[in-house]
Amino acid sequence: MTSYIVIALFAVGIAIGWLLRDKDKTRKGVDTAVTWSVYLLLFLLGISVGINKEIVNNFSRIGYQAFWLTFGAVAGSVLIAWLVYHFFFKTDNEE
């Protein structure tokens, strides 16, 4: 049931966004709201991690694994972004 609610909210958001697509002031307001919502979610995620005793007690082991996982994800993303740019967006004038 929850997935249907999420899909419905997403569809309603797309429809409202489509109707308001030409309103720059609305777009800027939505962008600001999304940015602050992400900040709030990250803050709440930090609180929930800090409350979880199992994560805190194993943080040194988890932190080491998380570092390498994050490093690999960032390096892979940069590599793929460079390849996509190089093969699909780079013009002949750019060298």
Side-chain angles (χ1 to χ4, degrees):
M1 183 65 174
T2 303
S3 61
Y4 294 122
I5 294 171
V6 170
I7 292 170
L9 288 172
F10 189 67
V12 169
I14 290 173
I16 291 171
W18 186 78
L19 292 172
L20 299 175
R21 68 186 178 278
D22 295 331
K23 307 221 185 276
D24 287 335
K25 187 175 181 180
T26 303
R27 185 178 313 159
K28 289 177 185 177
V30 169
D31 287 345
T32 302
V34 168
T35 300
W36 283 102
S37 297
V38 170
Y39 293 157
L40 177 64
L41 287 172
L42 289 171
F43 175 72
L44 294 173
L45 178 65
I47 289 174
S48 83
V49 167
I51 290 173
N52 190 328
K53 291 180 181 179
E54 186 176 341
I55 291 175
V56 172
N57 292 337
N58 293 314
F59 195 69
S60 61
R61 186 175 60 102
I62 293 171
Y64 182 72
Q65 292 172 346
F67 169 78
W68 287 111
L69 181 65
T70 303
F71 179 79
V74 170
S77 296
V78 168
L79 176 65
I80 295 298
W82 180 81
L83 289 171
V84 167
Y85 171 75
H86 182 71
F87 288 112
F88 296 107
F89 296 103
K90 188 174 182 183
T91 62
D92 292 335
N93 297 346
E94 297 179 54
E95 291 299 325

